[in-house]
mmCIF file with all atom_site columns, all heavy atoms in Angstrom:
data_model
loop_
_atom_site.group_PDB
_atom_site.id
_atom_site.type_symbol
_atom_site.label_atom_id
_atom_site.label_alt_id
_atom_site.label_comp_id
_atom_site.label_asym_id
_atom_site.label_entity_id
_atom_site.label_seq_id
_atom_site.pdbx_PDB_ins_code
_atom_site.Cartn_x
_atom_site.Cartn_y
_atom_site.Cartn_z
_atom_site.occupancy
_atom_site.B_iso_or_equiv
_atom_site.pdbx_formal_charge
_atom_site.auth_seq_id
_atom_site.auth_comp_id
_atom_site.auth_asym_id
_atom_site.auth_atom_id
_atom_site.pdbx_PDB_model_num
ATOM 1  N N   . ARG A 1 70 ? -25.791 -7.828  6.051  1.00 89.00 ? 447 ARG A N   1
ATOM 2  C CA  . ARG A 1 70 ? -24.755 -8.163  5.079  1.00 89.00 ? 447 ARG A CA  1
ATOM 3  C C   . ARG A 1 70 ? -23.393 -8.007  5.749  1.00 89.00 ? 447 ARG A C   1
ATOM 4  O O   . ARG A 1 70 ? -23.193 -7.114  6.562  1.00 89.00 ? 447 ARG A O   1
ATOM 5  C CB  . ARG A 1 70 ? -24.853 -7.253  3.853  1.00 89.00 ? 447 ARG A CB  1
ATOM 6  C CG  . ARG A 1 70 ? -23.821 -7.561  2.764  1.00 89.00 ? 447 ARG A CG  1
ATOM 7  C CD  . ARG A 1 70 ? -24.026 -6.664  1.558  1.00 89.00 ? 447 ARG A CD  1
ATOM 8  N NE  . ARG A 1 70 ? -25.248 -6.995  0.850  1.00 89.00 ? 447 ARG A NE  1
ATOM 9  C CZ  . ARG A 1 70 ? -25.350 -7.971  -0.046 1.00 89.00 ? 447 ARG A CZ  1
ATOM 10 N NH1 . ARG A 1 70 ? -24.284 -8.739  -0.311 1.00 89.00 ? 447 ARG A NH1 1
ATOM 11 N NH2 . ARG A 1 70 ? -26.490 -8.206  -0.657 1.00 89.00 ? 447 ARG A NH2 1
ATOM 12 N N   . LYS A 1 71 ? -22.461 -8.887  5.378  1.00 92.00 ? 448 LYS A N   1
ATOM 13 C CA  . LYS A 1 71 ? -21.152 -8.863  6.023  1.00 92.00 ? 448 LYS A CA  1
ATOM 14 C C   . LYS A 1 71 ? -20.073 -9.194  4.996  1.00 92.00 ? 448 LYS A C   1
ATOM 15 O O   . LYS A 1 71 ? -20.268 -10.018 4.105  1.00 92.00 ? 448 LYS A O   1
ATOM 16 C CB  . LYS A 1 71 ? -21.110 -9.868  7.177  1.00 92.00 ? 448 LYS A CB  1
ATOM 17 C CG  . LYS A 1 71 ? -19.863 -9.831  8.029  1.00 92.00 ? 448 LYS A CG  1
ATOM 18 C CD  . LYS A 1 71 ? -19.947 -10.847 9.164  1.00 92.00 ? 448 LYS A CD  1
ATOM 19 C CE  . LYS A 1 71 ? -21.030 -10.493 10.147 1.00 92.00 ? 448 LYS A CE  1
ATOM 20 N NZ  . LYS A 1 71 ? -21.067 -11.430 11.305 1.00 92.00 ? 448 LYS A NZ  1
ATOM 21 N N   . VAL A 1 72 ? -18.934 -8.520  5.126  1.00 94.00 ? 449 VAL A N   1
ATOM 22 C CA  . VAL A 1 72 ? -17.743 -8.839  4.335  1.00 94.00 ? 449 VAL A CA  1
ATOM 23 C C   . VAL A 1 72 ? -16.659 -9.295  5.313  1.00 94.00 ? 449 VAL A C   1
ATOM 24 O O   . VAL A 1 72 ? -16.333 -8.568  6.260  1.00 94.00 ? 449 VAL A O   1
ATOM 25 C CB  . VAL A 1 72 ? -17.243 -7.622  3.525  1.00 94.00 ? 449 VAL A CB  1
ATOM 26 C CG1 . VAL A 1 72 ? -15.935 -7.977  2.797  1.00 94.00 ? 449 VAL A CG1 1
ATOM 27 C CG2 . VAL A 1 72 ? -18.295 -7.178  2.515  1.00 94.00 ? 449 VAL A CG2 1
ATOM 28 N N   . VAL A 1 73 ? -16.142 -10.485 5.081  1.00 95.00 ? 450 VAL A N   1
ATOM 29 C CA  . VAL A 1 73 ? -15.074 -11.029 5.918  1.00 95.00 ? 450 VAL A CA  1
ATOM 30 C C   . VAL A 1 73 ? -13.810 -11.120 5.071  1.00 95.00 ? 450 VAL A C   1
ATOM 31 O O   . VAL A 1 73 ? -13.770 -11.861 4.081  1.00 95.00 ? 450 VAL A O   1
ATOM 32 C CB  . VAL A 1 73 ? -15.432 -12.413 6.477  1.00 95.00 ? 450 VAL A CB  1
ATOM 33 C CG1 . VAL A 1 73 ? -14.277 -12.963 7.321  1.00 95.00 ? 450 VAL A CG1 1
ATOM 34 C CG2 . VAL A 1 73 ? -16.707 -12.336 7.308  1.00 95.00 ? 450 VAL A CG2 1
ATOM 35 N N   . VAL A 1 74 ? -12.804 -10.347 5.448  1.00 95.00 ? 451 VAL A N   1
ATOM 36 C CA  . VAL A 1 74 ? -11.547 -10.300 4.711  1.00 95.00 ? 451 VAL A CA  1
ATOM 37 C C   . VAL A 1 74 ? -10.485 -11.065 5.499  1.00 95.00 ? 451 VAL A C   1
ATOM 38 O O   . VAL A 1 74 ? -10.294 -10.808 6.692  1.00 95.00 ? 451 VAL A O   1
ATOM 39 C CB  . VAL A 1 74 ? -11.080 -8.846  4.490  1.00 95.00 ? 451 VAL A CB  1
ATOM 40 C CG1 . VAL A 1 74 ? -9.757  -8.811  3.713  1.00 95.00 ? 451 VAL A CG1 1
ATOM 41 C CG2 . VAL A 1 74 ? -12.159 -8.038  3.773  1.00 95.00 ? 451 VAL A CG2 1
ATOM 42 N N   . VAL A 1 75 ? -9.812  -11.977 4.838  1.00 96.00 ? 452 VAL A N   1
ATOM 43 C CA  . VAL A 1 75 ? -8.738  -12.747 5.477  1.00 96.00 ? 452 VAL A CA  1
ATOM 44 C C   . VAL A 1 75 ? -7.442  -12.466 4.728  1.00 96.00 ? 452 VAL A C   1
ATOM 45 O O   . VAL A 1 75 ? -7.286  -12.850 3.568  1.00 96.00 ? 452 VAL A O   1
ATOM 46 C CB  . VAL A 1 75 ? -9.033  -14.259 5.463  1.00 96.00 ? 452 VAL A CB  1
ATOM 47 C CG1 . VAL A 1 75 ? -7.898  -15.019 6.154  1.00 96.00 ? 452 VAL A CG1 1
ATOM 48 C CG2 . VAL A 1 75 ? -10.365 -14.541 6.137  1.00 96.00 ? 452 VAL A CG2 1
ATOM 49 N N   . ARG A 1 76 ? -6.525  -11.776 5.380  1.00 93.00 ? 453 ARG A N   1
ATOM 50 C CA  . ARG A 1 76 ? -5.245  -11.424 4.756  1.00 93.00 ? 453 ARG A CA  1
ATOM 51 C C   . ARG A 1 76 ? -4.218  -12.535 4.976  1.00 93.00 ? 453 ARG A C   1
ATOM 52 O O   . ARG A 1 76 ? -4.278  -13.272 5.964  1.00 93.00 ? 453 ARG A O   1
ATOM 53 C CB  . ARG A 1 76 ? -4.728  -10.099 5.321  1.00 93.00 ? 453 ARG A CB  1
ATOM 54 C CG  . ARG A 1 76 ? -5.651  -8.936  4.984  1.00 93.00 ? 453 ARG A CG  1
ATOM 55 C CD  . ARG A 1 76 ? -5.121  -7.599  5.455  1.00 93.00 ? 453 ARG A CD  1
ATOM 56 N NE  . ARG A 1 76 ? -6.087  -6.544  5.140  1.00 93.00 ? 453 ARG A NE  1
ATOM 57 C CZ  . ARG A 1 76 ? -6.115  -5.866  3.999  1.00 93.00 ? 453 ARG A CZ  1
ATOM 58 N NH1 . ARG A 1 76 ? -5.209  -6.123  3.069  1.00 93.00 ? 453 ARG A NH1 1
ATOM 59 N NH2 . ARG A 1 76 ? -7.022  -4.934  3.783  1.00 93.00 ? 453 ARG A NH2 1
ATOM 60 N N   . ASN A 1 77 ? -3.282  -12.637 4.017  1.00 94.00 ? 454 ASN A N   1
ATOM 61 C CA  . ASN A 1 77 ? -2.216  -13.646 4.109  1.00 94.00 ? 454 ASN A CA  1
ATOM 62 C C   . ASN A 1 77 ? -2.792  -15.028 4.396  1.00 94.00 ? 454 ASN A C   1
ATOM 63 O O   . ASN A 1 77 ? -2.354  -15.739 5.318  1.00 94.00 ? 454 ASN A O   1
ATOM 64 C CB  . ASN A 1 77 ? -1.201  -13.263 5.189  1.00 94.00 ? 454 ASN A CB  1
ATOM 65 C CG  . ASN A 1 77 ? -0.499  -11.952 4.888  1.00 94.00 ? 454 ASN A CG  1
ATOM 66 O OD1 . ASN A 1 77 ? 0.005   -11.744 3.793  1.00 94.00 ? 454 ASN A OD1 1
ATOM 67 N ND2 . ASN A 1 77 ? -0.489  -11.049 5.853  1.00 94.00 ? 454 ASN A ND2 1
ATOM 68 N N   . ALA A 1 78 ? -3.782  -15.405 3.600  1.00 96.00 ? 455 ALA A N   1
ATOM 69 C CA  . ALA A 1 78 ? -4.474  -16.672 3.833  1.00 96.00 ? 455 ALA A CA  1
ATOM 70 C C   . ALA A 1 78 ? -3.530  -17.873 3.742  1.00 96.00 ? 455 ALA A C   1
ATOM 71 O O   . ALA A 1 78 ? -3.818  -18.935 4.293  1.00 96.00 ? 455 ALA A O   1
ATOM 72 C CB  . ALA A 1 78 ? -5.616  -16.827 2.828  1.00 96.00 ? 455 ALA A CB  1
ATOM 73 N N   . GLN A 1 79 ? -2.403  -17.709 3.048  1.00 96.00 ? 456 GLN A N   1
ATOM 74 C CA  . GLN A 1 79 ? -1.435  -18.800 2.960  1.00 96.00 ? 456 GLN A CA  1
ATOM 75 C C   . GLN A 1 79 ? -0.813  -19.134 4.315  1.00 96.00 ? 456 GLN A C   1
ATOM 76 O O   . GLN A 1 79 ? -0.206  -20.185 4.480  1.00 96.00 ? 456 GLN A O   1
ATOM 77 C CB  . GLN A 1 79 ? -0.325  -18.464 1.948  1.00 96.00 ? 456 GLN A CB  1
ATOM 78 C CG  . GLN A 1 79 ? 0.663   -17.402 2.382  1.00 96.00 ? 456 GLN A CG  1
ATOM 79 C CD  . GLN A 1 79 ? 0.161   -15.982 2.188  1.00 96.00 ? 456 GLN A CD  1
ATOM 80 O OE1 . GLN A 1 79 ? -0.938  -15.773 1.672  1.00 96.00 ? 456 GLN A OE1 1
ATOM 81 N NE2 . GLN A 1 79 ? 0.956   -15.005 2.582  1.00 96.00 ? 456 GLN A NE2 1
#
Side-chain angles (χ1 to χ4, degrees):
R447 182 177 290 277
K448 187 179 294 184
V449 176
V450 179
V451 180
V452 181
R453 296 184 182 271
N454 298 310
Q456 72 279 357

